[in-house]
Amino acid sequence: MIDIDPNALPQTDPIRRSRVSAAKAPWWLWVASLLIVLPLGLAIVALLVRVLDATDSAWSTLLSIRTLELVWRSFALTALVTMAATAIGVAGAWILARTDIGFKRMWGVAFALPLVIPSYVIAMVLVSSSGPRGLVAQLVGFEIPRLTGFPGAWVALTLATYPYVYLITAASIGRIDPALEEAARGLGASPWRVFRTVVLPQLRPAVGAGALLAALYTLSDFGAVSLMRFDAFTRVIYAQYSGRIDRSPAIVLSIVLILFASVIIWAERRTSGRGTTFSSTPNRPPALHRLRGAKHVLAVAGLGTVVVIGTVIPIGVLTTWVARGAYHGADISVPWNAVVGSLTGGSLAALVAMVFTVPIVVLAVRYASKRTMLLERSVFVIFSLPHITIAIAVVAFTIRWARPVYQTMFVLVTVYAGMFIAQSTSAAKASLLQVDPAVEDASRSLGRGPFATLMRVTVPLMAKGLLAGGALVFVTTLKELPVTLLLSPPGFSTLAVRVWAAADELLYTRAATAALILIAMSVLPVYFLSIKPKAVVER
Amino acid sequence: MRRITLLAVVAAIVASGCSSSGDAHITLYSGRSEDLVQPVIDAFTKDTGINVVVKYADSADLAGTILEEGAASPADVFFAQDPASLGTVALAGLFETLPNELLGKVPSRFSDDAGHWVGTSGRARVVVYDPTSVSEATLPPTEDAFVDEQWKGRVGIAPTNGSFLAFVAAKILIDGEESTLTWLKGMAANNSPTYPKNSPIVAAVNAGEIDAGLVNHYYLLRALSENPDVVGLNYFFPEPTAGSLVMPAGAGILSSSEHKDEGRTFIEWLLNDESQTYFADETFEYPMVPGVAANPALPPIDTIATPDINLSDLAGVLDLATDLVADAGLL
């Protein structure tokens, strides 16, 4: 299971803040961390400064009643998506970890798979398969109500985000000691009571971590809300950006989103700080609940419904489009250029993110302080920004201050890594928390310097979490659109771009071909994320 | 060992990505999608030996990017979907004036007054409708009637989309700011469903979700080419109005370009018979060069009741158009 620890998120845990925290962090850890955070941070700050002398109309946009209404709508959507994603993610993780349901490996992969489908593809597929003339009605004869507006956005984004909660919670369940649950059961507590009073409190930080990623993703999403025709904040930012020559209203509106995200991050921190965790690896497997009769049916039906809507229908619809187009003579050739582009962008971004995750996580865990907390939180604020805002900021910044690298792979990969590093720090922090600082102390007392200790002791010990983080960054980069469009070097293309462009022209066959290749490319990392770590890491 | 293999693979991928630079080449910013124009570009490279490195993105986004880049833009040619994006760059003074022999190939109403850009293919604004729920006879002579009670909740629009905003800009030029705002407010009050762009409107009409929508003419034909079961039909307003405007996609050469000759050769290529026929047959647009036949499924371009406005003026009222759309509560 992927190891994203509860504590991976910006929060303090006084017990585990270990004795090393009193020590002063080596300067090069800070330099390395800031190398990835500072460029993006500076670009965004520069953008905001530029807006200070924005036109009056830009500021009046910000203060209008309409803005308040949009904040409310985005808030409601984010809250409901987060709740649904949390419920589905936690339930799925618990069923797969603690019951004797069959085909766990298959369920595990299928349940995590919506993570790799871009949210605008999920939305496009749901829109076109529902309704009286939708694909489902045509193929099966059973009409599902047309999904649009709030319900549509809610379903699409819940599907796109519950895998975060699921993966993080599943990892955490694997690490809690089943002895406590068994004791509670032995004392006569019902399974539900055990779950509520014993399991859930231990999972609380993990669930919070997943819910935070889900909430921030929802807040920054543009593709799904626009296709579902739900009036969220990002839709207006985008409209203000592309609909006029003066860009300042779009930027001013982005400020609201930054504040919004900061509040969510702060709130998550406030509530999950009290959680208890036991990050020891349990030395024996848990006794599994036996699912019999109605319960078995219920569990399979529950998992099945989610997998059907989130994985089977999207892939089925895409396949149908390819087949229908091929039948009518449409071009279904593989866009090799885009395949190479996606692979290059995704793997370089994952590699860079993994490299810079090390100093950030080591600072946060081994040298925890107010400053390292700020570092960690800024990583999450960047993750929550709409990609279009980041793209505008970086275009303006590189044109003015870093002209030679403008529209190069260097900038594109740096931005990918910086945008998504919150995911890999989350994953890696969990691993590092399980490494006893005494091991590092021993290395140092035996004459290794801090850098040698980091490279030869710390990094190998946290490799599992780092790789999981890299896989997450790879998968997310593959889905990215606005930054790719604006920052990529001329001639560079990705599968996500091909999906978007073809769908925009109603060329569903080509869009579906590219989307299916994109999903296929992400299946391997997801498989890696959802199998037990022993098989992969402890070779 | 494994790490080294990984690095080698990454290095090989990077190297393969960076190794395309012929002698003669241009950098093209294309707001038109790869699916539609790459075949034309490939034919150009094959014939002339000039390599074209393309950056594909949304037309309005690319116009904004060129404005940011200013005189140091890496682009040689900007190929955009609509006159508003082209006009944005022209207004900023970043386009070269094109030679008369290029401009002369297309009717003057489809190129810039000052010769900064030239239209390469035409796109008409139309109403796409569902004939199973609307008969053609009940469709109004202009878009103005869509604010009436009988169309409540039935007509889809894409208020944030570039071509809709260009249509609003045209409406401002034709009907004035005030009556355009009144119309937009009427559409909002009539609960007209809003979509992010044209293609979902056409999809929604075909799905029976809405009865009609304001879009460009070619989406329906493309959907039909992949799926003959599509039910929608196009309706051209019989009276000259912003809703029946023909707006060309077009191209211009950046004045900062160091490859202006190659850029001119490229635009010339877009206007030759081969490319114009491609636009007519494959992307279902109107050819701009007289003598090349439009797709037989379309009414001839001369029969479309196009209003008399200057397309070069569109960019000047683009921000106002967005303001009005926002004021009407449609953003």
Side-chain angles (χ1 to χ4, degrees):
Chain A
M1 279 295 161
I2 175 192
D3 250 323
I4 297 185
D5 190 88
N7 298 302
L9 286 171
Q11 60 173 316
T12 48
D13 181 339
I15 302 157
R16 216 183 282 103
R17 213 198 269 174
S18 84
R19 57 217 124 112
V20 198
S21 66
K24 199 169 170 297
W27 59 270
W28 42 266
L29 277 179
W30 274 105
V31 171
S33 302
L34 293 178
L35 269 180
I36 193 79
V37 177
L38 219 50
L40 270 184
L42 276 180
I44 291 159
V45 171
L47 186 76
L48 299 184
V49 167
R50 203 172 135 205
V51 145
L52 286 181
D53 48 25
T55 50
D56 289 344
S57 80
W59 290 106
S60 62
T61 314
L62 181 63
L63 298 172
S64 67
I65 303 287
R66 174 84 178 132
T67 307
L68 280 178
E69 189 199 324
L70 287 167
V71 167
W72 161 243
R73 294 172 74 96
S74 278
F75 171 78
L77 180 69
T78 304
L80 285 174
V81 165
T82 308
M83 280 181 220
T86 305
I88 294 174
V90 173
W94 186 82
I95 292 174
L96 290 176
R98 287 288 192 264
T99 70
D100 63 346
I101 195 167
F103 306 105
K104 278 191 183 171
R105 174 71 53 93
M106 183 207 80
W107 281 121
V109 175
F111 209 66
L113 209 58
L115 181 74
V116 310
I117 311 177
S119 53
Y120 54 88
V121 172
I122 296 185
M124 190 168 78
V125 159
L126 288 179
V127 166
S128 60
S129 56
S130 58
R133 286 180 219 162
L135 258 183
V136 171
Q138 278 177 27
L139 295 178
V140 195
F142 173 73
E143 184 185 321
I144 41 179
R146 182 106 173 141
L147 272 171
T148 53
F150 187 88
W154 182 58
V155 171
L157 282 164
T158 299
L159 291 173
T161 56
Y162 83 78
Y164 284 118
V165 183
Y166 161 68
L167 287 168
I168 297 173
T169 309
S172 194
I173 284 190
R175 280 199 314 274
I176 60 179
D177 195 336
L180 280 172
E181 293 162 59
E182 283 154 31
R185 294 219 66 184
L187 292 167
S190 68
W192 170 242
R193 184 154 178 220
V194 173
F195 177 74
R196 204 164 38 87
T197 57
V198 180
V199 179
L200 210 52
Q202 297 189 68
L203 289 179
R204 174 62 193 82
V207 175
L212 180 62
L213 288 178
L216 297 183
Y217 185 103
T218 306
L219 204 56
S220 71
D221 176 80
F222 168 70
V225 291
S226 71
L227 279 176
M228 286 297 181
R229 312 197 294 106
F230 178 72
D231 241 347
F233 213 81
T234 43
R235 183 176 162 263
V236 177
I237 293 181
Y238 194 82
Q240 290 287 353
Y241 166 72
S242 62
R244 57 169 75 238
I245 300 171
D246 174 16
R247 297 293 157 89
S248 38
I251 302 163
V252 169
L253 287 170
S254 303
I255 297 175
V256 179
L257 213 63
I258 295 177
L259 294 176
F260 204 155
S262 308
V263 169
I264 294 181
I265 293 166
W266 174 82
E268 197 280 333
R269 222 201 125 242
R270 282 299 294 257
T271 52
S272 74
R274 289 186 294 273
T276 336
T277 52
F278 299 87
S279 59
S280 60
T281 312
N283 43 19
R284 62 187 178 78
L288 299 176
H289 288 274
R290 292 191 172 184
L291 292 175
R292 290 291 172 269
K295 281 182 190 163
H296 192 199
V297 173
L298 204 66
V300 171
L303 288 182
T305 307
V306 174
V307 168
V308 163
I309 301 179
T311 306
V312 176
I313 289 188
I315 293 178
V317 169
L318 293 171
T319 312
T320 311
W321 282 343
V322 172
R324 187 181 65 195
Y327 178 75
H328 293 297
D331 174 26
I332 49 162
S333 55
V334 175
W336 287 111
N337 176 31
V339 172
V340 171
S342 282
L343 270 179
T344 317
S347 40
L348 288 179
L351 210 65
V352 172
M354 280 156 69
V355 167
F356 287 100
T357 292
V358 174
I360 294 176
V361 166
V362 169
L363 277 178
V365 174
R366 295 287 186 249
Y367 303 96
S369 70
K370 281 229 163 69
R371 270 181 297 168
T372 60
M373 226 149 64
L374 194 68
L375 175 73
E376 270 195 288
R377 260 187 259 176
S378 58
V379 162
F380 275 86
V381 171
I382 291 173
F383 179 70
S384 72
L385 290 178
H387 297 179
I388 187 75
T389 306
I390 294 179
I392 305 170
V394 175
V395 165
F397 190 76
T398 44
I399 285 173
R400 280 179 186 71
W401 309 106
R403 188 71 213 193
V405 293
Y406 176 61
Q407 278 186 8
T408 56
M409 278 307 279
F410 174 76
V411 167
L412 184 64
V413 168
T414 309
V415 174
Y416 280 153
M419 268 196 311
F420 299 134
I421 202 166
Q423 298 179 5
S424 62
T425 54
S426 298
K429 194 172 172 187
S431 283
L432 183 57
L433 282 169
Q434 286 176 289
V435 178
D436 192 336
V439 184
E440 292 160 0
D441 291 348
S443 162
R444 255 173 258 146
S445 66
L446 288 170
R448 289 279 182 204
F451 186 72
T453 301
L454 178 74
M455 295 310 288
R456 313 203 45 178
V457 178
T458 316
V459 169
L461 285 173
M462 62 189 275
K464 186 171 72 176
L466 264 182
L467 286 172
L472 273 178
V473 172
F474 177 85
V475 166
T476 323
T477 303
L478 246 50
K479 301 192 288 182
E480 209 289 327
L481 193 55
V483 161
T484 312
L485 282 174
L486 284 185
L487 294 178
S488 64
F492 180 85
S493 183
T494 68
L495 289 164
V497 170
R498 303 294 306 116
V499 174
W500 165 80
D504 202 21
E505 304 292 349
L506 277 188
L507 298 167
Y508 281 164
T509 312
R510 293 190 199 181
T513 310
L516 284 175
I517 300 172
L518 191 157
I519 293 169
M521 268 168 58
S522 312
V523 165
L524 203 64
V526 166
Y527 182 73
F528 164 72
L529 284 171
S530 52
I531 52 173
K532 297 221 162 49
K534 269 182 187 142
V536 176
V537 184
E538 291 163 28
R539 10 187 170 114
Chain B
M1 187 57 215
R2 184 179 283 197
R3 213 173 298 168
I4 294 171
T5 319
L6 182 69
L7 282 177
V9 169
V10 169
I13 293 171
V14 173
S16 71
C18 307
S19 61
S20 61
S21 52
D23 290 315
H25 74 277
I26 55 169
T27 300
L28 174 69
Y29 277 13
S30 174
R32 311 208 54 201
S33 100
E34 187 173 348
D35 296 291
L36 303 186
V37 301
Q38 192 62 44
V40 176
I41 295 168
D42 290 341
F44 168 76
T45 301
K46 201 173 161 198
D47 189 81
T48 61
I50 301 173
N51 278 318
V52 185
V53 188
V54 198
K55 183 172 177 63
Y56 289 104
D58 190 71
S59 292
D61 292 358
L62 286 174
T65 305
I66 292 173
L67 256 49
E68 279 291 343
E69 293 165 349
S73 176
D76 298 303
V77 176
F78 179 33
F79 189 11
Q81 281 202 10
D82 61 286
S85 300
L86 292 163
T88 301
V89 176
L91 272 184
L94 296 170
F95 268 145
E96 183 79 357
T97 306
L98 297 172
N100 282 328
E101 59 265 34
L102 264 184
L103 294 165
K105 289 191 181 216
V106 311
S108 61
R109 68 176 169 129
F110 294 129
S111 61
D112 180 40
D113 278 355
H116 288 136
W117 52 264
V118 59
T120 52
S121 56
R123 309 140 80 87
R125 293 291 296 175
V126 297
V127 177
V128 62
Y129 69 99
D130 178 354
T132 63
S133 57
V134 180
S135 82
E136 189 181 345
T138 60
L139 286 164
T142 73
E143 71 275 5
D144 291 337
F146 283 144
V147 300
D148 295 345
E149 177 70 24
Q150 60 160 318
W151 293 104
K152 199 172 185 85
R154 297 171 67 194
V155 183
I157 51 175
T160 57
N161 178 262
S163 58
F164 183 83
L165 289 169
F167 150 79
V168 174
K171 200 163 173 60
I172 293 172
L173 295 177
I174 297 164
D175 301 340
E177 182 181 336
E178 211 164 305
S179 72
T180 303
L181 180 60
T182 310
W183 182 79
L184 287 166
K185 282 185 170 162
M187 290 302 280
N190 226 0
N191 293 332
S192 305
T194 58
Y195 295 80
K197 43 197 181 184
N198 288 307
S199 40
I201 294 184
V202 177
V205 167
N206 287 327
E209 180 181 312
I210 48 174
D211 293 332
L214 295 175
V215 294
N216 295 342
H217 78 271
Y218 45 85
Y219 290 99
L220 186 70
L221 293 117
R222 284 187 205 143
L224 267 171
S225 73
E226 287 198 347
N227 180 8
D229 303 333
V230 160
V231 299
L233 292 174
N234 275 340
Y235 170 76
F236 293 73
F237 287 120
E239 287 179 19
T241 167
S244 61
L245 187 64
V246 176
M247 282 185 286
I253 297 170
L254 278 295
S255 41
S256 55
S257 164
E258 285 167 10
H259 305 99
K260 288 182 183 132
D261 287 340
E262 290 88 343
R264 254 172 248 129
T265 315
F266 178 72
I267 296 182
E268 220 172 281
W269 183 269
L270 296 178
L271 295 174
N272 71 15
D273 284 3
E274 184 186 335
S275 306
Q276 290 289 302
T277 308
Y278 171 86
F279 288 134
D281 293 347
E282 301 297 324
T283 70
F284 307 105
E285 294 168 291
Y286 283 104
M288 287 280 98
V289 175
V292 180
N295 190 295
L298 293 172
I301 193 165
D302 299 332
T303 64
I304 299 174
T306 300
D308 184 26
I309 59 158
N310 189 336
L311 294 171
S312 306
D313 298 336
L314 286 179
V317 288
L318 189 63
D319 281 10
L320 179 60
T322 302
D323 284 339
L324 296 189
V325 170
D327 286 350
L330 287 168
L331 276 201

